[in-house]
Amino acid sequence: MNNRRPVRIANCSGFYGDRVAAAWEVLEGGDVDVLTGDYLAELTMLILWKARQKDASGGYAKTFLSQMERVMGTCLDRGIKVVSNAGGLNPEGLTDRLHELAATLGLSPRIAWIEGDDLTDRLPELVAAGHPLTHLDTGKALADSNTKAVTANAYLGAWGIVDALRADADIVVCPRVTDASLVVGPAAWWHGWDRSDYDALAGAVAAGHVIECGPQATGGNYSRLPAVPDKRRPGFPIAEVAADGQVVITKQVGSGGHVSPGTVTAQLLYEIQSPAYANPDVVAHFDTLRLEQQGPDRVLISGATGTAPPPDLKVAINQLGGYRNTMTLVLTGLDIEAKADWARAQLFDVLGGEDTFDEVDVRLLRFDRPDAETNEQATAHLRVTVKSADKNKVGRRFANATMELAVGGYAGFHTTTPPADASAYGVYWPTLVPLDVVTHSVVLPDGTRRVVPHGPTATPVESQPVSALGTDVTAIAGETRRVPLGTVCSARSGDKGGNANVGIWTEDERGFAWLDAHLTVERFRELLPEAADLEIRRWALPRLNALNFVVVGLLGAGVAETARPDPQAKGLGEYLRSRHVDVPVALIELEESRR
């Protein structure tokens, strides 16, 4: 370890489509050493694949070029390194475009790019070599799948980024590295860490996970809205990573939003599963983390413990599942259920029956109320989704059939959208491959290609879901009141492939003692009826006063395939907070005293 000052690493993108001006705004808001941006998610890889079918030179996040057009000169003048996964499916292509952009700006940045994640063309070879590429949730082997894989990308680690920065690269273009690698790489380079500096690396993984989604760490999507004093658009986060792996999360000066232990907890719990958070370079144990408010908009993350990474890399495979279409019929006023039943029967009579399709999903969404004060408040939606390998079955033929109910169906018939054609959808397939089948390489600014060796690994001890800690709750027992769970708890939810993740936490240990005892898997299942028949995993993170739940299969085969109205489970945590439970009055009063 060295005693160099903490490295200031900023985020300027939480997803492909995020605020283009963010890169400039972050640089205007204070000094940073490294500018990072996260553009990739499982769905994004499918989006980039579709873009590449139209233009073979594409396959990268084009918005990154727009950002660099404005800030490349500033970054070079101030010595700010840029590390991004905007390369997507075509990091070499993005590197070429960056060189072209730099030439038009009269600049000469040193650009490196990473490769080795793309396994798409190698899938048959891997299966033939005895790698089953088993689905992590279903246990099904890839060879037993009847759908075509169009993308397959291994999650690479941080050491290719380290090599690029050591070769004095100004910009590092990454493909599918882990989100945290965008912070781990610069931190390891800055502080001269070794591959076995597991605790420091774990702290950097925590930092990377916190800032990867941009303003979600600074008040964005935060369930405790009154706790965010500055209601302006939240600024983008900055992680100050010290040599020992301790991290301060802050944000750009003068920006909106708020950084607190609550906003940082929300992002730490976002889209994780076990507290043993596996990355290619370290397993970061999130249940060892502690948070402390150091000052206005400054939260210290300490206590990170890391262990050797696993011997496998995660691979995200996207398959073409077929075609889908959705039409939403509006039902108004009286006899909502009878109207819905009649509409469904008429529609599929026109179409030749529900068996015409590979899959049918019909949902009656009730927004209506008796004696509504407005027309809109008297409406419900009948949402009909059909899927088929035959595009013609679910295209205009299906959409136009709904319109045949217009004058011969239920009273008040209308739809939310005009008829539309079918669209292709993807199926997400998460799996693992041994490290030795992946060649992680970096192409340095001088054109030299260097293979990045894999480091030492260990078979991780499987984290077991915790049902309860048995905490003594005597101090907060007594009289209860039936109130929404969100009266005393915060939450953050999201997707991990076909699984939904819900993190829920309290402000202090006393609240957590009650939450840990109260919110068992069984009670969670009662509060979330759509998970009644699904596997639910539960973990406790006492140092964060938090529980984490994973609902396996709630989202089907992932966001691109599911017919669920909230396909990424973004609102699931808020739904859980809205459910009424019996809460000790003393705990309610404690929460009220904080306001």
Side-chain angles (χ1 to χ4, degrees):
M1 294 287 180
N2 62 30
N3 295 315
R4 197 174 187 186
R5 68 167 175 82
V7 57
R8 284 173 54 86
I9 304 173
N11 171 281
C12 69
S13 176
F15 66 98
Y16 187 18
D18 207 350
R19 197 155 85 233
V20 174
W24 175 253
E25 292 170 2
V26 168
L27 299 186
E28 284 289 281
D31 291 334
V32 297
D33 302 301
V34 183
L35 183 67
T36 68
D38 179 18
Y39 300 82
L40 302 183
E42 291 90 350
L43 177 62
T44 315
M45 306 304 280
L46 187 62
I47 293 171
L48 294 177
W49 174 81
K50 289 181 179 180
R52 206 168 190 187
Q53 302 313 294
K54 299 176 182 177
D55 179 2
S57 68
Y60 51 80
K62 293 183 178 180
T63 52
F64 179 70
L65 288 172
S66 300
Q67 290 182 309
M68 286 299 98
E69 183 174 9
R70 187 169 186 185
V71 305
M72 187 186 292
T74 300
C75 289
L76 292 175
D77 289 343
R78 290 164 51 180
I80 298 170
K81 304 293 187 180
V82 179
V83 180
S84 165
N85 62 13
L89 298 177
N90 189 8
E92 182 178 13
L94 178 56
T95 300
D96 291 341
R97 300 293 86 73
L98 285 167
H99 279 300
E100 293 170 3
L101 173 63
T104 65
L105 298 173
L107 302 173
S108 301
R110 294 172 55 81
I111 306 175
W113 53 279
I114 309 292
E115 64 178 3
D117 66 307
D118 192 350
L119 304 178
T120 310
D121 294 338
R122 294 182 56 201
L123 291 179
E125 162 203 333
L126 292 172
V127 171
H131 302 292
L133 304 180
T134 303
H135 192 291
L136 290 178
D137 296 315
T138 68
K140 186 177 180 181
L142 185 65
D144 296 330
S145 172
N146 296 321
T147 50
K148 177 186 177 182
V150 293
T151 70
N153 299 84
Y155 287 74
L156 303 179
W159 293 98
I161 297 171
V162 175
D163 284 352
L165 294 173
R166 285 175 177 168
D168 202 27
D170 300 305
I171 301 172
V172 185
V173 176
C174 302
R176 180 67 281 184
V177 297
T178 70
D179 300 339
S181 293
L182 302 177
V183 170
V184 176
W189 158 73
W190 183 271
H191 293 300
W193 291 340
D194 186 78
R195 286 178 179 268
S196 62
D197 288 325
Y198 294 133
D199 290 349
L201 290 167
V205 165
H209 185 66
V210 169
I211 74 169
E212 70 184 47
C213 291
Q216 280 197 168
T218 62
N221 289 346
Y222 191 49
S223 62
R224 292 297 185 95
L225 186 60
V228 180
D230 190 335
K231 298 297 192 296
R232 293 178 298 156
R233 188 168 59 182
F236 278 69
I238 297 170
E240 300 175 354
V241 185
D244 61 359
Q246 293 196 80
V247 180
V248 171
I249 302 297
T250 184
K251 65 184 180 70
Q252 56 196 122
V253 176
S255 62
H258 183 56
V259 180
S260 69
T263 67
V264 173
T265 296
Q267 190 56 29
L268 281 172
L269 297 175
Y270 182 62
E271 294 184 349
I272 68 168
Q273 299 199 49
S274 162
Y277 191 63
N279 264 247
D281 307 308
V282 65
V283 176
H285 297 273
F286 278 16
D287 50 359
T288 66
L289 300 176
R290 295 186 183 275
L291 304 182
E292 177 186 345
Q293 189 87 48
Q294 275 205 331
D297 295 318
R298 292 182 63 82
V299 171
L300 173 68
I301 305 176
S302 63
T305 297
T307 53
D312 303 300
L313 290 180
K314 183 178 178 181
V315 179
I317 299 175
N318 277 300
Q319 302 171 308
L320 282 185
Y323 298 89
R324 64 185 291 171
N325 206 344
T326 298
M327 288 294 291
T328 301
L329 285 58
V330 181
L331 313 164
T332 308
L334 305 178
D335 306 319
I336 293 293
E337 292 184 7
K339 289 173 179 175
D341 290 343
W342 192 23
R344 179 173 184 166
Q346 282 188 304
L347 175 60
F348 286 103
D349 181 60
V350 172
L351 292 166
E354 296 189 21
D355 291 343
T356 302
F357 306 96
D358 296 341
E359 185 178 337
V360 172
D361 184 276
V362 181
R363 297 173 186 247
L364 178 58
L365 309 177
R366 301 296 298 265
F367 315 120
D368 55 300
R369 63 188 70 175
D371 193 23
E373 295 182 0
T374 67
N375 194 152
E376 291 81 2
Q377 292 173 343
T379 62
H381 287 175
L382 186 67
R383 190 172 186 268
V384 183
T385 300
V386 291
K387 299 177 183 177
S388 176
D390 184 345
K391 183 178 180 180
N392 292 326
K393 288 184 178 180
V394 296
R396 286 285 184 175
R397 174 177 176 268
F398 160 74
N400 290 340
T402 63
M403 306 312 294
E404 294 188 26
L405 280 61
V407 294
Y410 62 85
F413 172 92
H414 60 287
T415 60
T416 58
T417 59
D421 202 359
S423 60
Y425 70 89
V427 173
Y428 176 63
W429 188 285
T431 189
L432 299 174
V433 295
L435 274 174
D436 59 10
V437 308
V438 175
T439 302
H440 182 179
S441 301
V442 56
V443 180
L444 301 175
D446 63 1
T448 302
R449 178 175 275 98
R450 179 181 299 169
V451 173
V452 180
H454 300 299
T457 65
T459 301
V461 176
E462 181 68 21
S463 294
Q464 297 299 317
V466 178
S467 60
L469 292 180
T471 311
D472 181 8
V473 295
T474 304
I476 51 172
E479 180 187 356
T480 63
R481 184 185 307 160
R482 197 157 186 83
V483 296
L485 181 60
T487 304
V488 294
C489 296
S490 304
R492 171 68 63 79
S493 60
D495 64 316
K496 210 64 179 171
N499 301 341
N501 150 254
V502 184
I504 186 163
W505 69 97
T506 63
E507 293 294 311
D508 63 20
E509 296 87 348
R510 288 169 293 180
F512 176 70
W514 170 80
L515 177 67
D516 182 43
H518 177 82
L519 197 56
T520 61
V521 168
E522 293 72 22
R523 186 162 282 115
F524 184 93
R525 200 183 299 277
E526 292 171 2
L527 297 176
L528 188 64
E530 64 178 313
D533 299 322
L534 299 175
E535 178 187 355
I536 297 175
R537 302 168 185 163
R538 178 192 192 269
W539 287 274
L541 296 87
R543 293 185 178 183
L544 298 178
N545 301 315
L547 300 175
N548 191 60
F549 293 87
V550 174
V551 186
V552 178
L554 184 71
L555 308 179
V559 58
E561 184 272 345
T562 183
R564 192 175 186 272
D566 178 14
Q568 293 181 285
K570 300 296 187 183
L572 192 62
E574 290 303 285
Y575 172 65
L576 185 65
R577 292 181 69 239
S578 75
R579 299 305 310 273
H580 286 225
V581 299
D582 295 320
V583 179
V585 171
L587 187 56
I588 297 171
E589 292 175 346
L590 179 63
E591 181 62 31
E592 290 174 344
S593 71
R594 295 192 179 100
R595 297 173 185 168

